Amino acid sequence: MLARKKSILLCFVIGALLCTLISCGNPNSTSADEATTVASAEGVSETEAEIQDIRKTSLEENTREIVKATIKSTESDEQESSSEAVAARIAGASVKRGAADYETAAQNEEAVQSNVPPAGETAETVAEQETPVAPELENMVVTTVVDTYQNIRLEPSEDSEVIGRLYEGSAGEVLETRDGWTKISSGDVEGWVHNEYVVSGEAAQSFAEEALEQVATIKEDGVRVRAGASVDSTWIGVVNVNETYKVVMEEPEDADEEAEPESEAAAPEGTPAEETKPEEIKPEETEPETEAVAEQPAEPQTAALQSTDGQVVPEETKAEPEWIKIIYDDDQEGYVCADYVTLSFKLGKAKSMEEIRAEEEAAAKAAAEKAAAERAEKAKEAAKSEEASSGWVSLGEFKITAYCGGACCNGQWAGTTSSGATPTEGRTIAVAPGLIPYGTRVKIGGIDGVYVAEDTGGFANSNSHQIDIYFANHSSATSWGVSYREVWVKR
């Protein structure tokens, strides 16, 4: 009678367990085989089919365990309470295991449908695999041309009018894309560029890191510039907030090699290292308190600890901050702490064809003026050489004026000269006799012929570098005006 009761009770428990397992393993109350069949008919993905297989396998394993445990419990002669306890333990373990399998399968199914990383992977893991893009490169395209330019066209066609150019290192904001072309806005130009010569997103980031110049913008006032990449290195200058400097790219090991504490090479010759800071700048006035805290090394940085066996073990040294090498103050190089700068890529802007033509015209004009000046200088040197070879010597530049032989210009000495010679147009000139004696033959630049110093000018005592050319009538003298020319004399 007791055995019959046990059998009835265990059959009841088995039936309840099977119902529970089916309910836990499949929320739609369908068998694993039916779920697999329906999934195949509806064209579900391989991932979903794998989830159905997991559910099916879990149900089969749980059922086999229950049957084995039940048979074993029925054949034993244990008391009724022991059989019931065994059945309860089997039921609890099976239900928990089935629920856990279902929860894992459901999580993986949701992850596939929502593009969330599967179990075992985190969003941070996936994010680490993606290359971050600098803020200045977001929604931008960067031209990859080098030592030349890329045309910007009015329409997305190679036959369209060129309205501007992107030069090396220039970029533009993306407005639209169409059939292998991108419409951009850069500078004062808005037009289309061919996608063959531009990059964006992660490709733009990689290109910028390899080919573009970086700049460092200082975030605080009074940031110290040091000779090496170390807080122990001599500080050689100060930079202030919003100032921008070119970054010198270098390998990490180069920075470590240069980071030598209190390097004497960084100090000016003959000056102690501790006195190399600018005299007009006081550290306590120019350096912000936050920087002093950030760069102040722990004292001591390396402490000695006594171990149990008597050996001296050095304490772990405080990690050095990162450093950025910049060019500042008349092409000097130095290091600033990375905590006090913002790095960005230096991006150029497009130029319109109007700007380009104006620049080309200005360059051509400047080149022509330079060439003319060079030719004039060469001609001048040639003339000097020629005159010198024939005995003529240059006295430099003189002020050249004119006068007539009448009383209007000569007063009581009209019609005569200081030397007693009769004044003659085309020959007579008035000079400062102290510099050019009477009778000296004189050549004046730009005027054909040779003049003779025969008269004394009224300027002789005030400006020896002046010559008056004699004209027979007053109107000719007046129309001459004033000019400045080189003068040679025959020695």
Side-chain angles (χ1 to χ4, degrees), residues 6-36:
K6 289 166 57 180
S7 299
I8 294 173
L9 176 61
L10 291 175
C11 289
F12 176 78
V13 170
I14 291 171
L17 287 173
L18 290 175
C19 293
T20 304
L21 289 174
I22 292 172
S23 175
C24 292
N26 192 342
N28 296 323
S29 299
T30 60
S31 68
D33 290 335
E34 291 173 345
T36 304

mmCIF file of all heavy atoms in Angstrom, residues 6-36:
data_model
loop_
_atom_site.group_PDB
_atom_site.id
_atom_site.type_symbol
_atom_site.label_atom_id
_atom_site.label_comp_id
_atom_site.label_asym_id
_atom_site.label_seq_id
_atom_site.Cartn_x
_atom_site.Cartn_y
_atom_site.Cartn_z
ATOM 1 N N LYS A 6 3.510 5.909 -2.957
ATOM 2 C CA LYS A 6 4.735 6.567 -3.419
ATOM 3 C C LYS A 6 4.743 6.718 -4.924
ATOM 4 O O LYS A 6 5.116 7.761 -5.470
ATOM 5 C CB LYS A 6 5.966 5.759 -2.971
ATOM 6 C CG LYS A 6 6.216 5.837 -1.476
ATOM 7 C CD LYS A 6 7.203 4.791 -0.993
ATOM 8 C CE LYS A 6 8.516 4.902 -1.707
ATOM 9 N NZ LYS A 6 9.491 3.895 -1.246
ATOM 10 N N SER A 7 4.298 5.678 -5.604
ATOM 11 C CA SER A 7 4.289 5.745 -7.075
ATOM 12 C C SER A 7 3.333 6.808 -7.561
ATOM 13 O O SER A 7 3.639 7.570 -8.490
ATOM 14 C CB SER A 7 3.892 4.373 -7.647
ATOM 15 O OG SER A 7 4.821 3.382 -7.265
ATOM 16 N N ILE A 8 2.160 6.855 -6.948
ATOM 17 C CA ILE A 8 1.168 7.859 -7.352
ATOM 18 C C ILE A 8 1.711 9.259 -7.101
ATOM 19 O O ILE A 8 1.600 10.173 -7.937
ATOM 20 C CB ILE A 8 -0.154 7.638 -6.594
ATOM 21 C CG1 ILE A 8 -0.783 6.306 -7.017
ATOM 22 C CG2 ILE A 8 -1.114 8.814 -6.848
ATOM 23 C CD1 ILE A 8 -2.009 5.925 -6.197
ATOM 24 N N LEU A 9 2.330 9.462 -5.946
ATOM 25 C CA LEU A 9 2.865 10.784 -5.596
ATOM 26 C C LEU A 9 3.973 11.212 -6.557
ATOM 27 O O LEU A 9 4.014 12.348 -7.034
ATOM 28 C CB LEU A 9 3.418 10.750 -4.169
ATOM 29 C CG LEU A 9 4.098 12.052 -3.682
ATOM 30 C CD1 LEU A 9 3.089 13.190 -3.702
ATOM 31 C CD2 LEU A 9 4.654 11.840 -2.266
ATOM 32 N N LEU A 10 4.886 10.270 -6.889
ATOM 33 C CA LEU A 10 5.994 10.615 -7.773
ATOM 34 C C LEU A 10 5.514 10.899 -9.181
ATOM 35 O O LEU A 10 6.047 11.777 -9.872
ATOM 36 C CB LEU A 10 7.021 9.474 -7.787
ATOM 37 C CG LEU A 10 7.791 9.277 -6.476
ATOM 38 C CD1 LEU A 10 8.692 8.060 -6.552
ATOM 39 C CD2 LEU A 10 8.601 10.510 -6.161
ATOM 40 N N CYS A 11 4.495 10.150 -9.630
ATOM 41 C CA CYS A 11 3.934 10.426 -10.964
ATOM 42 C C CYS A 11 3.329 11.827 -11.004
ATOM 43 O O CYS A 11 3.472 12.564 -12.006
ATOM 44 C CB CYS A 11 2.871 9.376 -11.320
ATOM 45 S SG CYS A 11 3.551 7.741 -11.672
ATOM 46 N N PHE A 12 2.663 12.157 -9.920
ATOM 47 C CA PHE A 12 2.087 13.514 -9.855
ATOM 48 C C PHE A 12 3.176 14.589 -9.908
ATOM 49 O O PHE A 12 3.068 15.600 -10.617
ATOM 50 C CB PHE A 12 1.274 13.625 -8.571
ATOM 51 C CG PHE A 12 0.713 15.007 -8.343
ATOM 52 C CD1 PHE A 12 -0.412 15.428 -9.040
ATOM 53 C CD2 PHE A 12 1.335 15.880 -7.468
ATOM 54 C CE1 PHE A 12 -0.920 16.704 -8.844
ATOM 55 C CE2 PHE A 12 0.833 17.154 -7.283
ATOM 56 C CZ PHE A 12 -0.308 17.565 -7.970
ATOM 57 N N VAL A 13 4.273 14.354 -9.170
ATOM 58 C CA VAL A 13 5.384 15.324 -9.147
ATOM 59 C C VAL A 13 6.022 15.445 -10.526
ATOM 60 O O VAL A 13 6.343 16.535 -11.013
ATOM 61 C CB VAL A 13 6.429 14.918 -8.101
ATOM 62 C CG1 VAL A 13 7.687 15.778 -8.231
ATOM 63 C CG2 VAL A 13 5.849 15.021 -6.700
ATOM 64 N N ILE A 14 6.213 14.265 -11.195
ATOM 65 C CA ILE A 14 6.826 14.286 -12.531
ATOM 66 C C ILE A 14 5.968 15.069 -13.502
ATOM 67 O O ILE A 14 6.467 15.881 -14.297
ATOM 68 C CB ILE A 14 7.042 12.850 -13.035
ATOM 69 C CG1 ILE A 14 8.137 12.164 -12.206
ATOM 70 C CG2 ILE A 14 7.427 12.847 -14.521
ATOM 71 C CD1 ILE A 14 8.268 10.693 -12.485
ATOM 72 N N GLY A 15 4.659 14.851 -13.443
ATOM 73 C CA GLY A 15 3.773 15.603 -14.339
ATOM 74 C C GLY A 15 3.845 17.092 -14.093
ATOM 75 O O GLY A 15 3.894 17.891 -15.039
ATOM 76 N N ALA A 16 3.872 17.471 -12.805
ATOM 77 C CA ALA A 16 3.966 18.901 -12.489
ATOM 78 C C ALA A 16 5.283 19.488 -12.958
ATOM 79 O O ALA A 16 5.337 20.615 -13.466
ATOM 80 C CB ALA A 16 3.806 19.082 -10.973
ATOM 81 N N LEU A 17 6.361 18.723 -12.817
ATOM 82 C CA LEU A 17 7.669 19.218 -13.257
ATOM 83 C C LEU A 17 7.712 19.409 -14.756
ATOM 84 O O LEU A 17 8.246 20.393 -15.262
ATOM 85 C CB LEU A 17 8.768 18.246 -12.831
ATOM 86 C CG LEU A 17 9.111 18.219 -11.347
ATOM 87 C CD1 LEU A 17 10.088 17.092 -11.036
ATOM 88 C CD2 LEU A 17 9.699 19.559 -10.929
ATOM 89 N N LEU A 18 7.174 18.443 -15.497
ATOM 90 C CA LEU A 18 7.182 18.559 -16.955
ATOM 91 C C LEU A 18 6.397 19.779 -17.411
ATOM 92 O O LEU A 18 6.832 20.521 -18.306
ATOM 93 C CB LEU A 18 6.604 17.291 -17.595
ATOM 94 C CG LEU A 18 7.480 16.037 -17.469
ATOM 95 C CD1 LEU A 18 6.744 14.828 -18.026
ATOM 96 C CD2 LEU A 18 8.796 16.227 -18.175
ATOM 97 N N CYS A 19 5.277 20.042 -16.804
ATOM 98 C CA CYS A 19 4.487 21.245 -17.157
ATOM 99 C C CYS A 19 5.259 22.512 -16.844
ATOM 100 O O CYS A 19 5.271 23.477 -17.626
ATOM 101 C CB CYS A 19 3.145 21.237 -16.405
ATOM 102 S SG CYS A 19 2.038 19.905 -16.929
ATOM 103 N N THR A 20 5.918 22.500 -15.689
ATOM 104 C CA THR A 20 6.687 23.692 -15.300
ATOM 105 C C THR A 20 7.851 23.944 -16.237
ATOM 106 O O THR A 20 8.115 25.070 -16.651
ATOM 107 C CB THR A 20 7.230 23.531 -13.871
ATOM 108 O OG1 THR A 20 6.141 23.270 -12.992
ATOM 109 C CG2 THR A 20 7.967 24.799 -13.420
ATOM 110 N N LEU A 21 8.586 22.855 -16.594
ATOM 111 C CA LEU A 21 9.737 22.996 -17.485
ATOM 112 C C LEU A 21 9.317 23.486 -18.853
ATOM 113 O O LEU A 21 9.973 24.319 -19.459
ATOM 114 C CB LEU A 21 10.478 21.667 -17.606
ATOM 115 C CG LEU A 21 11.251 21.216 -16.364
ATOM 116 C CD1 LEU A 21 11.811 19.821 -16.562
ATOM 117 C CD2 LEU A 21 12.356 22.204 -16.055
ATOM 118 N N ILE A 22 8.229 22.958 -19.365
ATOM 119 C CA ILE A 22 7.761 23.398 -20.683
ATOM 120 C C ILE A 22 7.387 24.874 -20.652
ATOM 121 O O ILE A 22 7.715 25.654 -21.538
ATOM 122 C CB ILE A 22 6.570 22.554 -21.148
ATOM 123 C CG1 ILE A 22 7.042 21.131 -21.432
ATOM 124 C CG2 ILE A 22 5.912 23.159 -22.395
ATOM 125 C CD1 ILE A 22 5.916 20.159 -21.708
ATOM 126 N N SER A 23 6.744 25.277 -19.540
ATOM 127 C CA SER A 23 6.343 26.687 -19.409
ATOM 128 C C SER A 23 7.557 27.593 -19.301
ATOM 129 O O SER A 23 7.610 28.656 -19.902
ATOM 130 C CB SER A 23 5.447 26.854 -18.186
ATOM 131 O OG SER A 23 5.140 28.204 -17.986
ATOM 132 N N CYS A 24 8.620 27.163 -18.527
ATOM 133 C CA CYS A 24 9.821 27.994 -18.371
ATOM 134 C C CYS A 24 10.647 28.008 -19.638
ATOM 135 O O CYS A 24 11.205 29.024 -20.007
ATOM 136 C CB CYS A 24 10.682 27.472 -17.215
ATOM 137 S SG CYS A 24 9.930 27.679 -15.597
ATOM 138 N N GLY A 25 10.766 26.894 -20.317
ATOM 139 C CA GLY A 25 11.627 26.817 -21.488
ATOM 140 C C GLY A 25 11.053 27.491 -22.696
ATOM 141 O O GLY A 25 11.777 27.890 -23.579
ATOM 142 N N ASN A 26 9.722 27.662 -22.766
ATOM 143 C CA ASN A 26 9.123 28.279 -23.958
ATOM 144 C C ASN A 26 7.955 29.143 -23.536
ATOM 145 O O ASN A 26 6.900 28.633 -23.179
ATOM 146 C CB ASN A 26 8.672 27.184 -24.923
ATOM 147 C CG ASN A 26 8.312 27.749 -26.284
ATOM 148 O OD1 ASN A 26 8.085 28.948 -26.399
ATOM 149 N ND2 ASN A 26 8.252 26.882 -27.281
ATOM 150 N N PRO A 27 8.105 30.478 -23.558
ATOM 151 C CA PRO A 27 7.043 31.382 -23.093
ATOM 152 C C PRO A 27 5.811 31.321 -23.970
ATOM 153 O O PRO A 27 4.737 31.735 -23.562
ATOM 154 C CB PRO A 27 7.698 32.766 -23.142
ATOM 155 C CG PRO A 27 8.819 32.618 -24.112
ATOM 156 C CD PRO A 27 9.291 31.231 -23.987
ATOM 157 N N ASN A 28 5.910 30.808 -25.168
ATOM 158 C CA ASN A 28 4.744 30.724 -26.059
ATOM 159 C C ASN A 28 4.047 29.373 -25.955
ATOM 160 O O ASN A 28 3.136 29.071 -26.736
ATOM 161 C CB ASN A 28 5.180 30.948 -27.506
ATOM 162 C CG ASN A 28 5.722 32.347 -27.693
ATOM 163 O OD1 ASN A 28 5.210 33.285 -27.098
ATOM 164 N ND2 ASN A 28 6.773 32.474 -28.496
ATOM 165 N N SER A 29 4.493 28.494 -24.972
ATOM 166 C CA SER A 29 3.856 27.196 -24.716
ATOM 167 C C SER A 29 3.883 26.304 -25.938
ATOM 168 O O SER A 29 2.959 25.566 -26.216
ATOM 169 C CB SER A 29 2.416 27.376 -24.224
ATOM 170 O OG SER A 29 2.397 28.092 -23.030
ATOM 171 N N THR A 30 4.914 26.361 -26.753
ATOM 172 C CA THR A 30 5.091 25.468 -27.897
ATOM 173 C C THR A 30 6.337 24.660 -27.663
ATOM 174 O O THR A 30 7.240 25.081 -26.962
ATOM 175 C CB THR A 30 5.240 26.270 -29.209
ATOM 176 O OG1 THR A 30 6.364 27.108 -29.076
ATOM 177 C CG2 THR A 30 3.998 27.092 -29.500
ATOM 178 N N SER A 31 6.410 23.507 -28.231
ATOM 179 C CA SER A 31 7.575 22.636 -28.052
ATOM 180 C C SER A 31 8.766 23.176 -28.786
ATOM 181 O O SER A 31 8.628 24.010 -29.669
ATOM 182 C CB SER A 31 7.249 21.227 -28.552
ATOM 183 O OG SER A 31 7.088 21.249 -29.968
ATOM 184 N N ALA A 32 9.969 22.700 -28.432
ATOM 185 C CA ALA A 32 11.198 23.167 -29.080
ATOM 186 C C ALA A 32 11.208 22.797 -30.539
ATOM 187 O O ALA A 32 11.643 23.562 -31.386
ATOM 188 C CB ALA A 32 12.405 22.568 -28.378
ATOM 189 N N ASP A 33 10.677 21.589 -30.842
ATOM 190 C CA ASP A 33 10.659 21.177 -32.257
ATOM 191 C C ASP A 33 9.741 22.058 -33.068
ATOM 192 O O ASP A 33 10.057 22.458 -34.191
ATOM 193 C CB ASP A 33 10.198 19.720 -32.371
ATOM 194 C CG ASP A 33 11.259 18.778 -31.824
ATOM 195 O OD1 ASP A 33 12.448 19.177 -31.827
ATOM 196 O OD2 ASP A 33 10.917 17.664 -31.406
ATOM 197 N N GLU A 34 8.551 22.392 -32.482
ATOM 198 C CA GLU A 34 7.613 23.260 -33.187
ATOM 199 C C GLU A 34 8.217 24.640 -33.371
ATOM 200 O O GLU A 34 8.074 25.259 -34.427
ATOM 201 C CB GLU A 34 6.306 23.360 -32.399
ATOM 202 C CG GLU A 34 5.517 22.066 -32.389
ATOM 203 C CD GLU A 34 4.303 22.150 -31.461
ATOM 204 O OE1 GLU A 34 4.272 23.084 -30.661
ATOM 205 O OE2 GLU A 34 3.421 21.310 -31.558
ATOM 206 N N ALA A 35 8.915 25.176 -32.343
ATOM 207 C CA ALA A 35 9.522 26.506 -32.448
ATOM 208 C C ALA A 35 10.568 26.521 -33.535
ATOM 209 O O ALA A 35 10.685 27.480 -34.302
ATOM 210 C CB ALA A 35 10.149 26.904 -31.113
ATOM 211 N N THR A 36 11.362 25.444 -33.633
ATOM 212 C CA THR A 36 12.388 25.383 -34.667
ATOM 213 C C THR A 36 11.772 25.323 -36.053
ATOM 214 O O THR A 36 12.227 25.969 -36.998
ATOM 215 C CB THR A 36 13.275 24.159 -34.438
ATOM 216 O OG1 THR A 36 13.821 24.206 -33.125
ATOM 217 C CG2 THR A 36 14.414 24.112 -35.464
#
